[in-house]
């Protein structure tokens, strides 16, 4: 049994979290009981009992036949509470508005979570609207501007070994090529994602250094068709200024917790 900070892991709690994470990762692909039992290597009867408990509490939902399972509405409520209570997210939101108004492009706030970046806030461009909001979604850190900006704040030794997932033909798939990119990011002061996460989109990422090492970053995404040299220069200038303002702004005072 694993331990965290000297405290033994509670097996039933760990299994519950693993199940919720698995269902969340499947998105719009509901799972059957046997699939879940096999994936988590637990007896079918135990998985069924756990699912029924979570269904009764709103964390899991099932279809009218009772044979398909997906993430429940209480996961959304918990996620919304996370965003509403986080002092950094509240701090950054007005600056995302400012960057969006200045550039007319899509602006993101993301946080490093293991090998991924979780999107915490987005201001969509009126010129390029996504059909699905990225807030609450994840992208491998090696394949986007937010993630590369944050990986560049860490020592090369902390970088996971490859090979890495290729989201597009332009994604880094080897540790060596990613290390070269991160060295350029450090020298430049910001990251560039040229269609590595999404085809047709270029991103510019800026780590927010109010934590050491940085956990959060902001980025600007723009379609390749609109990215002229002049526009790229303006994006970088505006985003540098936005980063400086965010880093200089005081976090809400009072008894706000300093989360780790």
């Amino acid at each position: 049994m694993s331990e965290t900070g000297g405290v033994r892991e509670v097996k039933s709690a760990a299994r519950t979290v693993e199940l919720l994470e698995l269902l969340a990762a499947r998105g719009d692909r509901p799972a059957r009981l046997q699939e879940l039992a096999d994936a988590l290597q637990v007896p079918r009867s135990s998985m069924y009992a756990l699912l029924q408990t979570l269904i009764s509490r709103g964390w899991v939902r099932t279809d009218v036949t009772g044979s398909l399972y997906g993430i429940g509405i209480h996961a959304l409520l918990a996620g919304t509470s996370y965003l509403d209570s986080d002092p950094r997210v509240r701090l950054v939101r007005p600056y995302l508005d400012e960057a969006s108004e200045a550039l007319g492009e899509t602006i993101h706030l993301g946080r490093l979570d293991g090998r991924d970046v979780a999107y915490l806030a987005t201001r969509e461009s009126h010129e390029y609207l996504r059909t699905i909001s990225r807030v609450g979604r994840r992208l491998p850190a090696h394949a986007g501007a937010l993630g590369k900006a944050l990986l560049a704040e860490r020592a090369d030794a902390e970088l996971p070994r490859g090979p890495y997932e290729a989201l597009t033909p332009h994604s880094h798939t080897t540790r060596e090529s990613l290390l070269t990119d991160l060295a350029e990011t450090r020298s430049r002061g910001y990251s560039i994602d040229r269609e590595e996460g999404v085809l047709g989109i270029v991103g510019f990422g800026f780590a927010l250094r109010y934590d050491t090492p940085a956990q959060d970053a902001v980025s600007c995404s723009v379609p390749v068709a609109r990215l002229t040299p002049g526009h790229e220069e303006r994006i970088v200038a505006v985003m540098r200024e936005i980063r400086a303002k965010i880093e200089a702004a005081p976090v809400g005072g009072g008894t706000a917790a300093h989360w780790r």
Side-chain angles (χ1 to χ4, degrees):
M1 183 176 291
S2 63
E3 296 188 3
T4 303
V7 178
R8 299 181 71 188
E9 182 178 81
V10 178
K11 188 174 182 179
S12 59
R15 181 175 294 173
T16 300
V17 172
E18 289 168 0
L19 172 59
L20 293 173
E21 289 180 342
L22 175 58
L23 290 173
R26 292 179 65 92
D28 62 354
R29 296 179 297 111
R32 296 187 180 274
L33 173 60
Q34 193 62 55
E35 289 181 273
L36 298 172
D38 291 343
L40 298 184
Q41 298 183 330
V42 300
R44 182 185 173 96
S45 59
S46 298
M47 177 57 67
Y48 181 77
L50 178 55
L51 285 167
Q52 295 309 307
T53 299
L54 293 173
I55 288 170
S56 70
R57 295 176 178 270
W59 287 89
V60 172
R61 59 180 171 174
T62 188
D63 71 332
V64 293
T65 69
S67 62
L68 295 175
Y69 301 93
I71 197 70
I73 194 170
H74 279 212
L76 170 63
L77 300 178
T80 301
S81 176
Y82 177 90
L83 294 176
D84 290 344
S85 66
D86 189 280
R88 299 296 195 189
V89 176
R90 291 200 303 271
L91 167 70
V92 173
R93 278 172 175 158
Y95 297 102
L96 300 184
D97 294 334
E98 181 178 339
S100 177
E101 291 172 8
L103 296 170
E105 304 294 353
T106 298
I107 312 297
H108 298 294
L109 167 67
R111 180 165 295 164
L112 194 64
D113 181 27
R115 297 182 63 160
D116 298 331
V117 165
Y119 285 77
L120 303 182
T122 293
R123 299 295 182 266
E124 297 284 1
S125 167
H126 295 302
E127 302 293 330
Y128 173 72
L129 293 175
R130 299 179 190 274
T131 56
I132 299 176
S133 172
R134 275 207 170 173
V135 175
R137 299 178 183 274
R138 299 158 68 92
L139 185 72
H142 72 274
L146 291 167
K148 292 196 298 179
L150 292 168
L151 292 178
E153 296 292 304
R154 287 152 174 79
D156 287 347
E158 297 180 42
L159 192 66
R161 296 193 176 279
Y164 307 125
E165 178 184 5
L167 274 64
T168 78
H170 305 286
S171 302
H172 292 289
T173 57
T174 68
R175 193 171 189 271
E176 291 71 24
S177 81
L178 182 56
L179 285 173
T180 299
D181 190 323
L182 297 182
E184 294 171 354
T185 295
R186 295 183 190 108
S187 175
R188 189 192 301 120
Y190 60 93
S191 66
I192 303 179
D193 155 23
R194 296 195 185 275
E195 301 185 82
E196 296 163 36
V198 180
L199 286 175
I201 299 296
V202 178
F204 302 86
F206 299 76
L208 299 175
R209 297 173 180 134
Y210 43 53
D211 292 314
T212 305
Q215 300 297 318
D216 299 345
V218 291
S219 71
C220 176
S221 297
V222 56
V224 172
R226 284 212 306 278
L227 188 61
T228 64
H231 192 32
E232 179 169 336
E233 184 177 342
R234 174 160 169 72
I235 287 170
V236 171
V238 168
M239 294 303 293
R240 283 187 189 275
E241 182 179 354
I242 290 296
R243 171 168 62 183
K245 289 181 177 180
I246 293 171
E247 292 177 343
V251 181
T255 58
H258 182 68
W259 302 106
R260 61 176 181 173

